[in-house]
Amino acid sequence: MDSTLTLLRQSALDFAGQVGALLGGLTLLAVLLHLVERRVSRRLSHRFGWRSVLVTGWLGVPLHELSHLLMCKVFRHRIVAFSLFDPDPRTGTLGYVQHAYRRRNLFQLAGNFFIGIAPLLGGSLILLLALWFLLPTARPAWGAAPAADVTSQWLHTAQMAGDTLQRIFTVAHLGSWQFWVFLLLSLCVGTHLSPSRPDLEGAWPGLLLLLFGLFAVAVVNRAFDLWPPHHWALLAAAFLSPLLAALAVALAMEVLFWGVVELVVHLTTPRRGVSLGYES
């Protein structure tokens, strides 16, 4: 009995560390992207009308919905209906993908998680490809953090993103058309990168199943001593690090765009109580 409890306790610690390393950075960036994106959209729509969000939505929304659509195909969900770009001021929706799946099919059930977060994955891949072809000297280095704990992963991601931003915003790039194309692409993708509330609600069943499977793997790994637990997290993080760095770059771009939006709103908002006449 004691040995079983010890096994479960050690497995739970391994599980918590792996979830933190694998999903911690992704969750943090997703929340920050969502908050900034919502703030920017509200400021634009409040000052310039609902259609002002289409300045970036014409490209960002189709890529957002296309990520959902492609992931539905990967996990063999049935596509009920979709529209890559269909702005509706009555509902506030810009596009949609409706899909169905077999609830007893574990593969399709787990796919709900990846379908829900597909814009994060698809958007980061698009930014990495844009860096690769447009600004190859600025692409983030491939590699994981030296340790598997959450703090090391976050610091490593922040360092990669900072280094990438420094290589993007150089004097030499300001005179190249590739830089401006990348800037436009990153703004359009970044402002429509985060999953919506319906996306996240639909992802929960798949996430719970994946967490259960990850805990089962942690128990089996501890029971049979297959591999040092932190090695699993380091291996996965080696692939996740460039994606997280791309998301961090997108967040930085969106924050800069937020600052521009706030400045434009401030300059174009009529001031009350200002007299334009002269006293005699």
Side-chain angles (χ1 to χ4, degrees), residues 184-254:
L184 175 62
L185 181 63
S186 61
L187 288 177
C188 291
V189 173
T191 50
H192 299 276
L193 191 65
S194 63
S196 63
R197 180 175 296 179
D199 294 340
L200 296 177
E201 291 174 351
W204 272 108
L207 176 60
L208 294 176
L209 178 60
L210 289 172
L211 291 177
F212 176 79
L214 189 59
F215 180 72
V217 170
V219 172
V220 172
N221 187 57
R222 273 289 180 178
F224 295 97
D225 196 21
L226 299 177
W227 205 10
H230 66 280
H231 283 185
W232 295 97
L234 284 175
L235 179 63
F239 294 94
L240 284 175
S241 290
L243 297 180
L244 294 178
L247 288 176
V249 169
L251 176 61
M253 295 289 191
E254 193 167 348

Side-chain angles (χ1 to χ4, degrees), residues 44 47-48 258-269:
L44 283 174
R47 180 65 187 91
F48 301 107
W258 179 17
V260 173
V261 168
E262 292 290 347
L263 179 61
V264 171
V265 169
H266 176 75
L267 293 177
T268 58
T269 300

Side-chain angles (χ1 to χ4, degrees), residues 63-64 67-68 115-124 192-195 199:
L63 292 176
H64 178 110
S67 299
H68 287 309
I115 293 170
I117 68 168
L120 288 173
L121 303 177
S124 58
H192 299 276
L193 191 65
S194 63
D199 294 340

Side-chain angles (χ1 to χ4, degrees), residues 26-38:
L26 185 65
T27 302
L28 177 63
L29 289 171
V31 170
L32 293 176
L33 282 164
H34 176 73
L35 292 176
V36 176
E37 177 183 330
R38 185 172 63 176

Side-chain angles (χ1 to χ4, degrees), residues 23-176:
L23 299 180
L26 185 65
T27 302
L28 177 63
L29 289 171
V31 170
L32 293 176
L33 282 164
H34 176 73
L35 292 176
V36 176
E37 177 183 330
R38 185 172 63 176
R39 176 64 177 177
V40 170
S41 297
R42 286 183 176 180
R43 292 293 282 168
L44 283 174
S45 60
H46 178 73
R47 180 65 187 91
F48 301 107
W50 182 81
R51 292 188 179 277
S52 61
V53 299
L54 304 183
V55 172
T56 57
W58 67 273
L59 179 60
V61 173
L63 292 176
H64 178 110
E65 302 302 339
L66 187 61
S67 299
H68 287 309
L69 189 63
L70 292 177
M71 201 61 73
C72 285
K73 294 292 186 179
V74 170
F75 287 93
R76 304 182 66 181
H77 283 218
R78 181 170 61 87
I79 306 299
V80 178
F82 74 93
S83 177
L84 297 183
F85 191 60
D86 185 21
D88 188 349
R90 295 173 301 174
T91 62
T93 59
L94 301 175
Y96 60 88
V97 174
Q98 299 175 3
H99 54 99
Y101 65 98
R102 296 178 180 178
R103 297 185 181 275
R104 295 183 179 181
N105 187 314
L106 296 182
F107 178 73
Q108 293 185 359
L109 181 61
N112 282 311
F113 172 70
F114 295 98
I115 293 170
I117 68 168
L120 288 173
L121 303 177
S124 58
L125 285 174
I126 290 172
L127 292 179
L128 284 176
L129 289 174
L131 279 174
W132 187 278
F133 289 105
L134 295 175
L135 303 174
T137 59
R139 59 194 181 205
W142 196 276
D149 60 280
V150 178
T151 302
S152 297
Q153 294 292 341
W154 288 4
L155 291 176
H156 181 65
T157 298
Q159 181 180 2
M160 290 180 64
D163 292 342
T164 303
L165 286 170
Q166 287 182 356
R167 292 195 295 269
I168 290 174
F169 291 96
T170 63
V171 176
H173 283 159
L174 293 178
S176 67

